[in-house]
Amino acid sequence: MWIDTHCHLDAAEFGGAQAQIAAAAAEQLVKWIVIPAVERANFAPVAALAAQLPNCCYALGIHPLYVEHADDSDLLALRAAISAAMSDPRFVAIGEIGLDFFVPGMERGPLREKQEHFYVEQLKLAREFGLPVLLHVRRSQDILLKHLRRIKVGGGIAHAFNGSFQQAEAFIGLGFRLGFGGAMTFPRALQIRRLAVELPLDALVLETDAPDMSPAWLHPATNQPQQIPRIGAVLAELRGMPAADLARATAANACAALPRLAALA
């Protein structure tokens, strides 16, 4: 089976066709699609999608790009939503959380401070509830790692990883798997491809980040979770192994990273 560990299936780009999209992925043997929340307003929608669609589960969190318009009441709402969701087997992680230092103006000053505040508080929630985290790591790996060393959580996934080999090893050492998706399918993505080949197989998981991060053959069209087997086939080819073995390995890695998903699988 295949697992898409990161897909924003509630996004407006899908135009209400989520059931058909999830079914198309299931036909391609994508057994599970993890849908992370990004803000308070979509805590309920992602949970509802996971309840309606047989191959979907979800995470709850506040994305760094949504922090600018959030306040501490959103953190209180998140804590309440997590507490209520602990009885829902489809709830598997805290996410998407993290730091984004790529967008101009967010890498310094008040917005950086606010991002770090929200990240730290959400790590504390993950620690409190014993949950893994789905991390947004855009140009922010070292600061993310600094806080992870201080606030111990139960691992998780560094989504869309594009750091150095040394940073990758640091995340792995803290119990994280690394997400690889459409960016890896571009021949010019030399650094990501090198990581995909040289890192231990048990550190890798697959993701689409749909509707974003379209693979080379689809770009710039909207990405979908049914692309996971083809993305996985690229990774298998890069590593010189059968796609079926790659599917089994990455699915096992996803379940190891997200124990509540393992209970579903």
Side-chain angles (χ1 to χ4, degrees):
M1 67 176 179
W2 300 94
I3 295 177
D4 184 351
T5 61
H6 203 105
C7 172
H8 296 283
L9 193 58
D10 62 310
E13 287 91 334
F14 293 124
Q18 282 86 354
Q20 298 94 312
I21 291 165
E27 289 177 3
Q28 298 298 317
L29 304 181
V30 180
K31 185 171 183 182
W32 291 108
I33 300 166
V34 182
I35 313 170
V38 295
E39 62 174 333
R40 181 176 183 171
N42 78 331
F43 294 169
V46 298
L49 272 179
Q52 294 162 11
L53 304 175
N55 60 336
C56 292
C57 55
Y58 68 103
L60 295 174
I62 300 169
H63 189 293
L65 295 183
Y66 289 78
V67 161
E68 181 177 4
H69 302 292
D71 57 37
D72 282 349
S73 70
D74 294 286
L75 290 168
L76 292 173
L78 176 60
R79 191 189 184 284
I82 293 166
S83 182
M86 290 301 291
S87 61
D88 182 355
R90 298 288 179 113
F91 172 56
V92 299
I94 304 297
E96 177 178 358
I97 71 171
L99 300 169
D100 192 305
F101 296 160
F102 175 77
V103 175
M106 296 198 71
E107 77 283 9
R108 62 185 181 277
L111 274 181
R112 172 169 173 153
E113 292 174 11
K114 193 174 183 184
Q115 282 193 77
E116 288 200 52
H117 170 67
F118 271 74
Y119 173 54
V120 165
E121 292 306 308
Q122 291 181 95
L123 286 182
K124 290 176 182 177
L125 289 173
R127 181 177 64 184
E128 176 185 350
F129 287 95
L131 292 165
V133 295
L134 305 179
L135 289 180
H136 182 94
V137 298
R138 200 155 61 157
R139 293 196 182 172
S140 56
Q141 290 88 349
D142 290 337
I143 306 302
L144 290 166
L145 287 163
K146 180 187 79 171
H147 291 299
L148 286 170
R149 293 185 182 105
R150 185 171 60 88
I151 303 168
K152 305 294 185 184
V153 300
I157 297 169
H159 148 63
F161 189 79
N162 189 18
S164 69
F165 194 85
Q166 291 72 25
Q167 289 167 333
E169 288 185 317
F171 278 105
I172 294 166
L174 290 169
F176 281 78
R177 272 71 179 182
L178 309 178
F180 287 82
M184 175 189 61
T185 66
F186 290 85
R188 292 184 180 180
L190 300 179
Q191 169 67 0
I192 295 175
R193 286 181 164 228
R194 183 177 76 86
L195 290 168
V197 170
E198 295 181 4
L199 289 171
L201 179 60
D202 63 8
L204 310 183
V205 297
L206 293 172
E207 61 181 26
T208 59
D209 198 26
D212 298 322
M213 265 176 57
S214 297
W217 53 86
L218 201 58
H219 185 77
T222 300
N223 200 5
Q224 294 193 5
Q226 65 180 306
Q227 299 296 328
I228 277 288
R230 194 168 171 188
I231 292 169
V234 171
L235 179 56
E237 183 178 0
L238 287 171
R239 294 186 68 97
M241 63 186 294
D245 292 349
L246 190 283
R248 281 189 290 271
T250 54
N253 298 344
C255 289
L258 307 174
R260 290 172 67 95
L261 175 59
L264 291 172

